Amino acid sequence: MDEKKTLERATSLALRYISYRPRSEFEVRGRLRRRYDEPVADLAIERLKEMGLLDDKAFALAWSQGRLSFKPRSAALIRRELLAKGIDRETVLTTVEVIN
């Protein structure tokens, strides 16, 4: 299979994956790595970022707000959940400050 078609399929898989709910880059990368090599996964993720469909800061904020609205959690638990989803520590700390 040529590289362009492989990238298109990887991007399509990632789009389907994020269509169910917002995902972190870490989650999307893990899903893509099940089927594609790292360079293909990287390119697909970059494409989603360029399209504005994959943004860890927006994901962290939405996740935190959802947790506060629907399943209230402490700030410490929200921090742990975001870190487990691959969000970098600085973004996590900033997000938790914003929601408090």
Side-chain angles (χ1 to χ4, degrees), residues 7-99:
L7 178 58
E8 290 297 325
R9 288 185 178 173
T11 304
S12 180
L13 173 67
L15 285 169
R16 280 192 309 275
Y17 189 57
I18 64 174
S19 72
Y20 300 109
R21 72 165 176 82
R23 309 277 181 172
S24 68
E25 181 180 331
F26 178 79
E27 292 174 300
V28 174
R29 185 177 306 283
R31 179 66 174 205
L32 288 172
R33 291 288 291 136
R34 291 182 190 173
R35 192 175 291 174
Y36 299 100
D37 294 332
E38 190 170 340
V40 174
D42 289 343
L43 289 172
I45 286 170
E46 285 306 313
R47 185 179 272 185
L48 292 178
K49 284 180 173 181
E50 289 170 3
M51 296 166 62
L53 299 173
L54 194 60
D55 179 352
D56 277 355
K57 290 179 183 180
F59 169 80
L61 187 58
W63 180 268
S64 300
Q65 290 172 338
R67 283 309 215 189
L68 290 175
S69 298
F70 302 110
K71 290 186 176 183
R73 301 284 191 249
S74 69
L77 184 56
I78 291 172
R79 275 194 304 271
R80 278 187 289 192
E81 288 176 338
L82 290 172
L83 289 169
K85 293 191 173 298
I87 306 300
D88 67 273
R89 185 169 296 282
E90 183 178 323
T91 301
V92 170
L93 295 175
T94 303
T95 301
V96 172
E97 282 180 22
V98 168
I99 63 170

